[in-house]
Amino acid sequence: MPVDAQGQATIGARQIYILPTRAGMGYGLLLLVTLLGALNYQNNLGLLFTFVMAGVSLVSMHHAWFNLLRLRVWAQPGAPVFAGQEARFDVALEDARDRERGALCVRGCDCVDVVAGGMVRVVLPVPTERRGPLPLGEVLIETRYPLGLFRAWSLVSVDAVATVYPRPAPHAGAPPQLSSVDHNASGDQGIGADDFVGARSYAPGDSLKRIDWKALARERGLVVKQFGGDRAARVWLDWNALPPVDEETRTALLCRQVLNASEQHLVYGLRLPGLSVERGQGDAHKHRCLSVLAGFRHED
């Protein structure tokens, strides 16, 4: 089932499969028995009852089929995870026919109801084993609405792809630090983020985050905290500096080094064969490095 330009797929009439459930097969057997009994004893009331119940089962079958028809489906990946954790995809089910749909089940999730013209999201967990992009592929959507006599289902292809970071090694050696340190323009002169060096009176334009609210509560006036001594060790996380182990082990070691460097607020860069990530800091830089490791020499 192809997705459109917005990454959405709509279930068509030819993409719906339907079969009786175990309860439905028992129901059919019961109808057969009542039909034979009514014919044998020429009981018109029994025949009427049998045909009415057969009609109910046919209506149930059509309702199950209509429950999936023109259902719009799309998915979005959740936050990146490490190999071995569960990736989570947000799967959206939207009614495109202005009719209420009951008991829609995405395989691996709870069943949900969708009101007429509404949309419901469910979270689909997917186990991960190795690093790299993880496409969701096909999503199985099924329903046994309304009586549970028939199971209608459809396989919907979605284009959501989650990122799986390498599984970090338990321990990794510290990378050698460069001889110099980074200072910002003011550094130890007063404006920084590392060490508290004193307070001064508030001036227009000062960040609210640096106002000493406790001092204000003690009626000491509006003062601003000053920090200084911004400095961070610079390191390169280098593929060639690791012990001679296999490729996946090196990737796991570098993953651990990235996490450690980020926790220690280091300025770090990443060097891999054929590519590198310039030095930086912060969560965005950490996720960039981990994404590069996730896709490095990844085999589908």
Side-chain angles (χ1 to χ4, degrees):
M1 185 182 310
V3 296
D4 58 19
Q6 289 76 37
Q8 301 178 357
T10 303
I11 299 177
R14 293 182 178 274
Q15 284 96 39
I16 301 174
Y17 308 93
I18 188 167
L19 282 175
T21 62
R22 183 174 299 179
M25 295 177 68
Y27 185 85
L29 181 61
L30 177 63
L31 288 181
L32 179 60
V33 171
T34 55
L35 176 63
L36 293 177
L39 290 175
N40 185 49
Y41 293 103
Q42 297 182 350
N43 188 323
N44 292 333
L45 186 60
L47 287 173
L48 176 63
F49 174 78
T50 302
F51 291 141
V52 169
M53 297 306 292
V56 169
S57 66
L58 292 176
V59 171
S60 173
M61 182 180 66
H62 280 85
H63 272 283
W65 186 78
F66 275 115
N67 206 33
L68 292 182
L69 184 65
R70 306 298 296 172
L71 181 69
R72 191 172 297 156
V73 182
W74 70 92
Q76 292 179 330
V81 297
F82 293 95
Q85 298 178 334
E86 280 189 342
R88 294 180 176 273
F89 293 86
D90 287 334
V91 180
L93 308 176
E94 183 179 19
D95 170 58
R97 298 183 63 229
D98 197 23
R99 59 168 294 165
E100 187 172 346
R101 302 169 189 264
L104 292 173
C105 306
V106 177
R107 177 65 62 87
C109 306
D110 295 332
C111 298
V112 296
D113 297 333
V114 180
V115 299
M119 187 264 290
V120 172
R121 291 180 182 272
V122 297
V123 177
L124 176 61
V126 177
T128 64
E129 296 181 356
R130 59 178 185 172
R131 64 183 172 89
L134 176 65
L136 181 56
E138 291 184 327
V139 177
L140 175 63
I141 299 174
E142 62 182 356
T143 183
R144 302 187 182 200
Y145 180 83
L147 300 180
L149 300 179
F150 293 90
R151 171 179 175 258
W153 75 95
S154 181
L155 287 171
V156 182
S157 296
V158 294
D159 57 359
V161 180
T163 300
V164 181
Y165 295 153
R167 190 194 308 265
H171 305 284
Q177 295 186 6
L178 302 183
S179 57
S180 61
V181 294
D182 284 341
H183 296 268
N184 66 8
S186 299
D188 298 330
Q189 301 304 315
I191 301 176
D194 284 349
D195 303 320
F196 178 71
V197 297
R200 61 171 174 78
S201 299
Y202 173 81
D206 286 335
S207 171
L208 295 179
K209 295 180 179 178
R210 296 198 171 183
I211 292 179
D212 191 342
W213 297 106
K214 291 183 179 179
L216 180 64
R218 298 188 186 104
E219 300 181 351
R220 292 167 51 189
L222 201 57
V223 297
V224 177
K225 296 178 181 178
Q226 287 184 291
F227 295 87
D230 274 5
R231 61 183 63 190
R234 297 180 303 163
V235 297
W236 277 108
L237 310 180
D238 197 336
W239 175 277
N240 294 320
L242 296 174
V245 291
D246 63 86
E247 202 165 87
E248 288 303 316
T249 303
R250 287 193 186 203
T251 307
L253 290 171
L254 284 174
C255 180
R256 171 55 60 191
Q257 288 185 340
V258 168
L259 296 177
N260 291 344
S262 179
E263 290 176 357
Q264 297 167 12
H265 305 290
L266 303 181
V267 177
Y268 60 96
L270 184 63
R271 282 176 176 159
L272 300 174
L275 60 92
S276 67
V277 179
E278 290 300 320
R279 293 193 302 266
Q281 279 182 299
D283 282 344
H285 182 67
K286 178 182 73 174
H287 288 293
R288 184 185 176 199
C289 292
L290 292 175
S291 297
V292 170
L293 287 175
F296 179 67
R297 292 180 179 174
H298 174 263
E299 297 180 358
D300 295 329

